[in-house]
Amino acid sequence: MARRRIDPAEGMAALRQWRDADDDGAEVPSAVVRTAVRFTLEELAVSSPGNSVEVRVPPAAAVQAIAGPRHTRGTPPNVVETDMDTWLRLATGRLTWDDAVRSGAVVASGIRADLSSVLPLITR
């Protein structure tokens, strides 16, 4: 199981702060956004454990998730990369996977890199 680094209460508080600011169009401190991203990436690793897809959200974090063949060296065959705001919108259901990919906000490569079946992660 994925090891947690962000306390779930702290992660949810950061996510709520981001969500409330997003509703108001306000700025959120970058440390809060990074905490929210790291927390939701940990949620992905817990809810969809595995090592077949690497999800990268620079500069905050990257995580491996989704069951399937494990890669051990070099660039993984299944990679998802996006920015922090797009990731949080996907994680909370404010943006659909298809819309994010279609717009180019998400770059996904590999046969397992479609995360539409595991997103959103948190809708409360």
Side-chain angles (χ1 to χ4, degrees):
M1 176 155 22
R3 194 177 116 223
R4 287 213 175 263
R5 295 175 184 223
I6 304 293
D7 176 87
E10 180 184 344
M12 282 303 297
L15 190 59
R16 276 192 299 275
Q17 188 175 345
W18 170 83
R19 190 173 41 213
D20 292 346
D22 188 49
D23 288 342
D24 298 334
E27 286 290 317
V28 180
S30 60
V32 172
V33 175
R34 278 192 306 277
T35 298
V37 168
R38 290 174 181 151
F39 168 68
T40 52
L41 285 170
E42 287 177 3
E43 286 294 307
L44 175 65
V46 168
S47 67
S48 300
N51 297 96
S52 71
V53 179
E54 185 165 293
V55 181
R56 301 172 180 167
V57 185
V63 69
Q64 290 188 358
I66 312 298
R70 177 184 184 95
H71 91 92
T72 56
R73 293 191 321 230
T75 301
N78 303 287
V79 176
V80 172
E81 188 162 342
T82 191
D83 63 89
M84 293 191 296
D85 189 61
T86 299
W87 172 252
L88 290 175
R89 289 174 176 277
L90 286 166
T92 59
R94 292 177 172 218
L95 177 65
T96 68
W97 176 259
D98 290 339
D99 287 345
V101 170
R102 191 173 17 261
S103 72
V106 167
V107 176
S109 62
I111 60 172
R112 288 185 167 77
D114 181 342
L115 300 182
S116 60
S117 66
V118 298
L119 293 172
L121 296 167
I122 300 168
T123 57
R124 50 187 142 93

